[in-house]
Amino acid sequence: RSDGEPLPGATFEVTNVSSGSVMVGGTSYESGQVCLSVVSNGEGIAQCGADTLPYGSYADMPHKIGPKA
């Protein structure tokens, strides 16, 4: 959202925007493919482990906005 409010329960899709493929969770993802989905907690924080995504370039976009807390 553009109003700066947290997004609890929102699903974010992480897309590989690197020039080549990346390996996430044992699966290869080409540039432009969604390689991870993350759901934000009750405070609107969405995160994954430090070693979940290999070195590369990624874009994250809200895919599904959860109910407002």
Side-chain angles (χ1 to χ4, degrees):
R1 295 183 351 196
S2 62
D3 60 10
E5 289 294 314
L7 298 172
T11 301
F12 291 85
E13 290 187 337
V14 180
T15 301
N16 172 22
V17 294
S18 302
S19 60
S21 63
V22 294
M23 187 73 72
V24 178
T27 302
S28 180
Y29 295 91
E30 297 297 323
S31 184
Q33 287 187 298
V34 173
C35 55
L36 182 68
S37 291
V38 182
V39 178
S40 62
N41 65 18
E43 296 175 352
I45 298 171
Q47 61 186 15
C48 62
D51 60 348
T52 302
L53 297 170
Y55 181 80
S57 297
Y58 301 92
D60 64 327
M61 294 294 294
H63 173 67
K64 179 181 174 193
I65 306 302
K68 201 169 185 180

